[in-house]
Amino acid sequence: MKLSPEDNAAVDRFLERSRDAESRITPKMDEIAERNGSELIGRDHRLKTEDSLKEKIARIQRRNPDATADEAIKEINDSVRYTMGHSEGRYTEGVKDAQQSLKDAGFEPDPKQYKYKWNQDGKYQGINTTWRDPETGTQFEVQHHTGKSFWAKDEGTHDLYDQMKVLDDGDPRKAALDAEQKKIFNEVPHPNNVQDLKTFDGSFGGGS
């Protein structure tokens, strides 16, 4: 499914707003990571590419053919995105500190999009959070990973995921790829006291 010229133009305008927001948000994210002893990893991917964004808009429109691009754009929370890397020993405190620092910087969290993914058998391991920059109105995503959970998501299973998403559910190749993906995720060690972060409220406060 290709986007109409009008929808293409709407996505291009959204991308321009996202670029403007990224230039404002990134310096603050650098400060937060440095202050909390964390690391921004995958920096080259902090802006969703034009092709990736338009593909995502097209998928939304396939699910809802009546949706305009502007309506579909409202579902996008990761045109700007960051990954904060924490050591396994300080992951829980690092997430709490980062959450509080983001709020102190004036960013607005969306508790409904707080995604705790640790202890999910054979699935993505990590925490994904969504924030809004009040100055630009742009939503952006902040993922929290350890070195091993980031590797599993980025290098370990990314190609497997790309292969799976184009296969039908009944295709035996999909089941084999899924089993391989689960094996990789199940081998990721869980950080100390990570269960304390299961709820959005639990991701604030504390730290050292």
Side-chain angles (χ1 to χ4, degrees):
M1 176 178 177
K2 291 187 176 181
L3 299 180
S4 69
E6 294 81 6
D7 286 351
N8 261 303
V11 176
D12 288 340
R13 290 192 296 271
F14 176 62
L15 271 170
E16 190 59 34
R17 295 196 300 272
S18 296
R19 292 187 187 103
D20 288 343
E22 182 273 325
S23 67
R24 162 181 153 78
I25 297 168
T26 297
K28 294 192 175 187
M29 291 298 301
D30 283 330
E31 291 175 7
I32 289 169
E34 183 176 0
R35 184 164 62 246
N36 294 333
S38 303
E39 178 187 5
L40 285 187
I41 50 181
R43 292 177 61 91
D44 290 346
H45 304 293
R46 63 187 181 275
L47 270 171
K48 205 171 187 69
T49 66
E50 179 180 349
D51 288 346
S52 179
L53 182 60
K54 290 182 176 180
E55 179 185 338
K56 192 168 185 177
I57 295 293
R59 287 202 303 271
I60 293 171
Q61 290 183 322
R62 281 197 293 271
R63 295 198 310 267
N64 182 4
D66 294 330
T68 66
D70 283 327
E71 290 169 335
I73 282 168
K74 293 178 181 177
E75 297 187 31
I76 305 295
N77 74 326
D78 63 349
S79 63
V80 181
R81 64 272 181 94
Y82 303 92
T83 299
M84 296 196 76
H86 312 276
S87 67
E88 288 177 24
R90 200 182 174 281
Y91 179 91
T92 300
E93 290 77 9
V95 172
K96 290 180 180 181
D97 288 348
Q99 291 280 88
Q100 190 61 55
S101 293
L102 280 157
K103 196 172 182 180
D104 291 345
F107 298 123
E108 300 168 350
D110 184 348
K112 293 181 180 179
Q113 296 196 70
Y114 180 80
K115 297 177 181 178
Y116 174 92
K117 294 292 186 178
W118 292 98
N119 303 314
Q120 305 290 315
D121 183 41
K123 303 293 183 182
Y124 171 98
Q125 302 288 308
I127 289 175
N128 292 5
T129 67
T130 296
W131 297 79
R132 179 180 176 273
D133 174 26
E135 185 167 310
T136 63
T138 300
Q139 286 192 106
F140 64 99
E141 183 181 69
V142 180
Q143 298 183 6
H144 295 279
H145 281 284
T146 64
K148 291 179 180 177
S149 71
F150 180 75
W151 178 88
K153 179 206 76 154
D154 192 56
E155 295 183 43
T157 64
H158 186 76
D159 287 345
L160 299 175
Y161 173 78
D162 282 345
Q163 293 177 59
M164 288 171 62
K165 70 182 181 183
V166 299
L167 298 176
D168 294 331
D169 287 342
D171 192 315
R173 291 175 295 168
K174 189 169 187 176
L177 290 167
D178 185 53
E180 188 175 349
Q181 181 174 261
K182 285 181 176 179
K183 182 177 184 296
I184 292 170
F185 280 129
N186 277 333
E187 291 175 351
V188 175
H190 291 177
N192 297 337
N193 302 315
V194 71
Q195 66 277 2
D196 293 348
L197 303 174
K198 280 187 175 181
T199 65
F200 170 75
D201 289 342
S203 68
F204 281 91
S208 58

